[in-house]
Amino acid sequence: MLVKKVVLASRPGANNKPVPANFRLEETNLALDLQEEEVLVRTLYLSVDPYMRCRMNEDTGAEYLTPWQLCQSADGGGVGVVESSPDGGGVGVVESSPDGGGVGVVESSPDGGGVGVVESSRHSAFCRGDVVTSFNWPWQSHAAVTGSLLHKVDPSLVDGHLSYFLGAVGMTGLTALLGMREKGHVTQGANQTLVVSGAAGACGSIAGQASYVQIGRLDGCSRVVGICGSEEKCKTLVEVLAFSGAINYRRQDVAAALRDRCPDGVDVYFDNVGGSISDAVIAQMNDGGHVVLCGQISQYNKDVPYPPPLSQETQDNLSRKKILRERFMVLNYMNKAEAALAELGRLVTSGQVKVLETMEYGIENMGVAFCSMMEGGNLGKQIIKISD
């Protein structure tokens, strides 16, 4: 079978921005003689996410992330479909994808994540037509994946919107829900103020970064303010996602805008970006506040450790005000994933949580979509549709 795949053609370097030319589209032959326990999948959707910038380096800087290898398929989250199963089959639910997202037919997924449909299977748990996701979905139109790396998903959980398994009802949704609940220390009835940076991106809503705010509101914050990079995004946060307020960091003085939007100070900060924006938020936090350290996208193109070092002023603010800044890794809470994903499915299908997506089309545009996402070109979760 002739398949298309996207490989890492070159590394941008630790202090440079990635460009689409760092990726290359290739065609290759995929053998259809599956090995025992392998499943053939066709990819429906793939995801690009900020953490992938670290995987473009020889050293990711994180013990839980492996680097992409030159001239080999990149990988991340995906969704796909099983199309035939000569040796048996079954149906189940896929519930998480820590390394990315995508949708398609299951064919192989050694190193990334995705969702797809199974086309053929030599694994008793999968049969033709199953929709599946993986932590390790290769950027390929089809793949042969070891069955143990795949998880079945129930399309009814997302009302048929399979791409949601890569965002709102996938790893980004889990990160939003569990990050707030485990590290946000939100107290119902306490009239707390929550600030979210990167609030209109992939990890800031349930299908993008704004959903952290929705989860915060559902769990008890009385004021939720999002920081993002355009007037369109600010408008969406307030008018669509019901944020209390929004700040355009490209056009506004963040510190001044925070004083206006958060007159009682900041109690909880969900940090997706780091850098000067986070310094400004922490400076206005109340005593005993909480910082949920989720991501630091503003620092990913720099040769710095993770988490990046803080300025002395910010360290002094954290110490003087007894602010607890905790790193959150969703992989440490996977024992809670099944119940949390079921809850997210209910919140999305009921309309309590709204999903934002930016859709790109064609596997040949993976690099373009990734680089656009890194520059803030997406509203909500950046998804690439690979096949119908």
Side-chain angles (χ1 to χ4, degrees), residues 329-348:
M329 289 182 58
V330 71
L331 297 181
N332 293 334
Y333 297 89
M334 295 312 293
N335 62 317
K336 300 183 179 183
E338 183 174 358
L341 286 164
E343 179 178 357
L344 288 165
R346 291 192 296 270
L347 291 171
V348 168

Side-chain angles (χ1 to χ4, degrees), residues 156-159 164-165 168-170 177 206 338-353:
S156 68
L157 189 64
V158 292
D159 199 23
Y164 289 3
F165 286 120
V169 192
L177 182 67
I206 287 213
E338 183 174 358
L341 286 164
E343 179 178 357
L344 288 165
R346 291 192 296 270
L347 291 171
V348 168
T349 55
S350 68
Q352 290 178 269
V353 166

Side-chain angles (χ1 to χ4, degrees), residues 6 52 58 115-116 169 195 209 223 234 257-259 261 266 273 304 317 319 322 338 340 350 352 362 377 383:
V6 175
M52 293 176 174
E58 287 188 78
V115 179
V169 192
V195 171
Q209 295 174 352
R223 183 184 299 271
C234 285
L258 282 168
R259 287 191 291 272
R261 308 292 195 282
V266 178
V273 303
V304 294
N317 278 325
S319 177
K322 295 182 173 56
E338 183 174 358
S350 68
Q352 290 178 269
I383 298 290

Side-chain angles (χ1 to χ4, degrees), residues 114-289:
V115 179
V117 180
V118 177
E119 295 191 330
S120 64
S121 170
R122 294 197 64 188
H123 193 288
S124 60
F126 303 99
C127 62
R128 181 180 178 86
D130 287 348
V131 178
V132 292
T133 73
S134 172
F135 295 175
N136 310 101
W137 198 283
W139 288 6
Q140 297 182 190
S141 56
H142 293 76
V145 184
T146 301
S148 61
L149 299 175
L150 297 171
H151 304 268
K152 294 179 188 176
V153 291
D154 179 1
S156 68
L157 189 64
V158 292
D159 199 23
H161 297 284
L162 299 183
S163 60
Y164 289 3
F165 286 120
L166 303 179
V169 192
M171 271 296 164
T172 49
L174 283 177
T175 303
L177 182 67
L178 297 179
M180 281 298 303
R181 288 186 177 169
E182 298 296 329
K183 302 296 185 181
H185 302 278
V186 175
T187 303
Q188 289 191 344
N191 294 320
Q192 291 166 294
T193 294
L194 167 67
V195 171
V196 182
S197 57
C203 209
S205 73
I206 287 213
Q209 295 174 352
S211 293
Y212 288 126
V213 170
Q214 296 182 13
I215 292 300
R217 291 177 68 89
L218 290 167
D219 280 352
C221 285
S222 60
R223 183 184 299 271
V224 180
V225 175
I227 303 174
C228 56
S230 74
E231 292 303 307
E232 177 194 6
K233 290 179 179 179
C234 285
K235 184 177 181 180
T236 299
L237 293 182
V238 174
E239 296 185 3
V240 178
L241 301 184
F243 280 45
S244 308
I247 298 169
N248 179 353
Y249 72 88
R250 297 184 192 272
R251 291 191 175 184
Q252 296 174 273
D253 180 293
V254 174
L258 282 168
R259 287 191 291 272
D260 177 64
R261 308 292 195 282
C262 308
D264 298 320
V266 178
D267 300 296
V268 184
Y269 174 41
F270 205 108
D271 185 5
N272 291 304
V273 303
S276 60
I277 290 175
S278 293
D279 291 340
V281 176
I282 291 171
Q284 297 195 40
M285 291 188 71
N286 296 323
D287 291 355

Side-chain angles (χ1 to χ4, degrees), residues 300-314:
Y300 289 166
N301 290 325
K302 301 177 181 179
D303 187 11
V304 294
Y306 188 89
L310 299 172
S311 69
Q312 187 60 52
E313 181 180 358
T314 296

